[in-house]
Amino acid sequence: MEFEPSAEHRMIRDTVREFCESEIRPIAQEIEDDHRFPEEVFAALADLDVMGIPVSEAYGGLGGDQLMYALVTEELGRVSGGIGLSYAAHTSLGAKPIEAFGTEAQKEEWLRPLAEGDGIGAWALTEPGSGSDASGMETTAEYDPDADEYVLNGTKQFITNANVANSVLVKAVTDPDAGYDGISTFIVDPDDDGFEVVTVWEKMGLNCSPTCEIAFDDLRLPADRLLGEEGDGWEQTMSTLDGGRISIAALSVGLAQGAYEAAKEYAGEREQFGKPIAEFDAIRDKIVHMYRQIERARLLTHKAATRYDAGEPVTKASALAKLDASEAAREVAEEAVQTLGGYGYTTDFAPQRFYRDAKLMEIGEGTSEIQHVVLGRELGL
Amino acid sequence: MKVLVTVKEVGEADDDFEIEGTDIASSDLEYDLNEWDDYAIEAAVQLAEAGIAEEVVAVTIGPERAEETIRMALAKGADRAVRVWDDAFEGTFADVSSKVDVFEAVVDEEEPELVLSGVQAADTAFGATGVALAERIGFDHAAVVNDLDLDADAGVANVHRELEGGIEELTEVDLPAVLTVQTGLNEPRYASLRGIRQAQRKEIAATDLADLGLTPADVESTLTLTEMYEPESDSDAELIEGDAGEAAGRLAEVLREKGVGA
């Protein structure tokens, strides 16, 4: 059993860390305050070959594995949850399904620009009235045999990257009578006629990562925009989320790590009653507990990624990692705010940002409640 | 043209560190590529990208651990690397001359037209290896180079040298040459992830003294470390308050007390 990443993985992690420290950390709060998607950061990440880490070299990716992708996602989260989230959505949800389910032609046209970092990926599952329960999906794609096209209508909610995306993988009902087997996936170009970004949400955190409501109004899609077969959409979703949850777990570990480091540093410097507050049991124990939670979450995340890379089933491991790491991120960030006291509550210090960002990790890509459902099922309950 | 870049792995101490014998405890050290060697690598890779250098070879003297560091040079674009180590170096403190003995042998083998070297190493900071090597191998040299324009056809390196007192010297150096590189020459790139992956498959030739036709006696160092200690430091800061006139008066008083301008 290997607990340390390989030399190659460490070198990649350290290089990305160095990049994050120099290029992202100094602007992390500013892009949050300005609600600005930092295109220049993503261009620089593209130059470093970060945008297509777990995508095959045949389509412009790096050909790395899920563990490498998780290590890098953690590093991004350690400095900016928003950049980490847009990155994870781009990779796990926007790019990986095209690699897994697309035709050669689709991969050339739609996957390559994402893997090479020329475009940002997105996907659209959630709707205003359909979240954890996808059976209520109302977006439809009706086939028009005369034109050999699908006609897309409906609204999707909380879509990360939708207003900056090169492509959005949209889930839509193609057979209303078939339940989960009637859902299909389409590759939608935001430039397609009938695509509208209705809202870019103001959020509690993660504001440099755009979250949109989008609407399709008789949006006509050529038949070659269908990803996989009609009716495959739900099964694709389950398998996509198995991988995606590992990246949200990794992002959560990064948020926790960033918050922990800020708290530890502060506690070592801040003196009250004549000594650094880290020397008081109350604060020392807090920081030790943070460390314990992070270490646990990271091990679960690396285990899930390692299983994924070995081709083993990961539904249970990825749900557990995501459940544990997202909770750890929120709790560690909260305790980091507490450690910094009044300063922790100000935007001059990072913990509040990690705290805001961490909350979403317990919601996106399956809420914690849904992770319990998944785990219960996996345990045979 | 072949470019040889000498690189060194340097240890940087944590804020709190222990001294073990005549060195800082290795558990308190973070090893990294020497900053100035990073500029030298970048300069060499830029020469390769400009079609001037056909091959960039990095060379280091260091134990197996140093491979991780020298691999970073490969990730940034060096074509291959030579790592020289020998039992003879274990537990000794190699002086400039013993390092030059090794690099001279490597130069004989590689026959580079240009040798780039960081102006100094962040740990020992002798600032001597590059120029001493030039002297030994009979190459022209320029030290503390912060601007480089290489005219390969004319066989000339046009360089700026940073001298004391803010003076810059513009000079020409005939190739073959050794240049020691100062901050400001370039902005080193981040290694791309593809570069890092490719670097795992690039050659790092593990070389010992015998491979270079040397014996332990050839590289014997005249320096031994006798003691390592933390110098005592007083933090004795005086904050001068008052308006500009008062502050200047007090400052002048302090300077006079300390013997400045006496």
Side-chain angles (χ1 to χ4, degrees), chain A residues 8 10 23 48-49 61 63, chain B residues 68 190 192-194 196-197:
Chain A
E8 179 182 352
R10 287 202 310 276
E23 316 292 334
L48 288 184
D49 310 316
Chain B
E68 290 206 13
Y190 296 101
S192 73
L193 301 200
R194 206 176 303 282
I196 293 173
R197 300 207 79 199

Side-chain angles (χ1 to χ4, degrees), chain A residues 209-290:
Chain A
S209 171
T211 304
C212 308
E213 178 175 316
I214 55 178
F216 319 111
D217 179 17
D218 283 337
L219 189 153
R220 299 190 77 88
L221 292 166
D224 67 4
R225 299 283 197 86
L226 175 66
L227 189 67
E229 302 293 324
E230 268 193 37
D232 283 357
W234 188 246
E235 244 175 70
Q236 291 175 0
T237 298
M238 291 295 95
S239 122
T240 300
L241 288 177
D242 276 349
R245 283 169 185 157
I246 298 172
S247 65
I248 298 300
L251 177 56
S252 302
V253 173
L255 292 171
Q257 180 71 27
Y260 158 79
E261 286 174 15
K264 183 163 174 277
E265 186 190 344
Y266 181 88
E269 289 170 359
R270 170 75 168 177
E271 292 192 6
Q272 292 289 279
F273 306 103
K275 56 181 182 180
I277 59 171
E279 290 178 21
F280 291 99
D281 292 358
I283 301 299
R284 185 203 57 207
D285 291 357
K286 224 186 254 307
I287 292 171
V288 168
H289 188 59
M290 290 181 194

Side-chain angles (χ1 to χ4, degrees), chain A residues 71-244:
Chain A
L71 292 169
V72 168
T73 306
E74 178 185 331
E75 291 306 321
L76 292 171
R78 183 171 158 268
V79 291
S80 169
I83 288 175
L85 181 69
S86 277
Y87 172 69
H90 157 88
T91 307
S92 296
L93 307 183
K96 285 297 279 181
I98 307 178
E99 183 176 45
F101 311 116
T103 62
E104 281 302 312
Q106 285 172 332
K107 290 179 197 179
E108 272 306 320
E109 185 175 359
W110 301 103
L111 176 58
R112 183 174 289 281
L114 301 185
E116 291 179 346
D118 293 331
I120 298 287
W123 92 327
L125 166 66
T126 299
E127 299 186 355
S130 156
S132 297
D133 177 10
S135 68
M137 189 179 291
E138 287 178 358
T139 296
T140 57
E142 272 183 73
Y143 184 62
D144 172 358
D146 297 333
D148 193 23
E149 287 177 340
Y150 289 89
V151 184
L152 193 63
N153 280 290
T155 302
K156 291 288 179 182
Q157 189 63 284
F158 306 135
I159 308 310
T160 302
N161 297 342
N163 63 339
V164 294
N166 185 70
S167 54
V168 185
L169 303 181
V170 176
K171 306 287 170 182
V173 175
T174 42
D175 182 353
D177 301 326
Y180 283 112
D181 291 334
I183 296 173
S184 306
T185 310
F186 295 90
I187 306 170
V188 176
D189 186 335
D191 289 337
D192 289 332
D193 286 339
F195 185 102
E196 189 193 351
V197 176
V198 181
T199 307
V200 182
W201 288 98
E202 298 279 322
K203 306 189 295 288
M204 177 174 162
L206 301 165
N207 278 302
C208 69
S209 171
T211 304
C212 308
E213 178 175 316
I214 55 178
F216 319 111
D217 179 17
D218 283 337
L219 189 153
R220 299 190 77 88
L221 292 166
D224 67 4
R225 299 283 197 86
L226 175 66
L227 189 67
E229 302 293 324
E230 268 193 37
D232 283 357
W234 188 246
E235 244 175 70
Q236 291 175 0
T237 298
M238 291 295 95
S239 122
T240 300
L241 288 177
D242 276 349

Side-chain angles (χ1 to χ4, degrees), chain A residues 21 25 78 254-270 277 283 287 290 294 332-333 335-341 343-344 348-355:
Chain A
E21 285 295 326
R25 185 186 290 284
R78 183 171 158 268
L255 292 171
Q257 180 71 27
Y260 158 79
E261 286 174 15
K264 183 163 174 277
E265 186 190 344
Y266 181 88
E269 289 170 359
R270 170 75 168 177
I277 59 171
I283 301 299
I287 292 171
M290 290 181 194
I294 294 168
V332 168
E335 288 293 68
V337 170
Q338 188 70 18
T339 303
L340 270 75
Y343 293 111
D348 276 11
F349 291 83
Q352 48 76 34
R353 185 159 46 80
F354 291 117
Y355 191 23

Side-chain angles (χ1 to χ4, degrees), chain A residues 8 10-12 15 18-19 22-23 47-50 53 57 60-64 68, chain B residues 32 38 68-69 71-73 75-76 190-201:
Chain A
E8 179 182 352
R10 287 202 310 276
M11 207 166 159
I12 282 177
T15 295
E18 203 181 312
F19 172 86
S22 308
E23 316 292 334
D47 287 344
L48 288 184
D49 310 316
V50 171
I53 288 178
E57 287 181 282
L62 185 67
M68 190 180 286
Chain B
D32 208 348
D38 203 8
E68 290 206 13
T69 298
R71 214 173 279 287
M72 191 50 87
K76 291 186 178 198
Y190 296 101
S192 73
L193 301 200
R194 206 176 303 282
I196 293 173
R197 300 207 79 199
Q198 285 163 353
Q200 311 303 315
R201 297 187 291 273

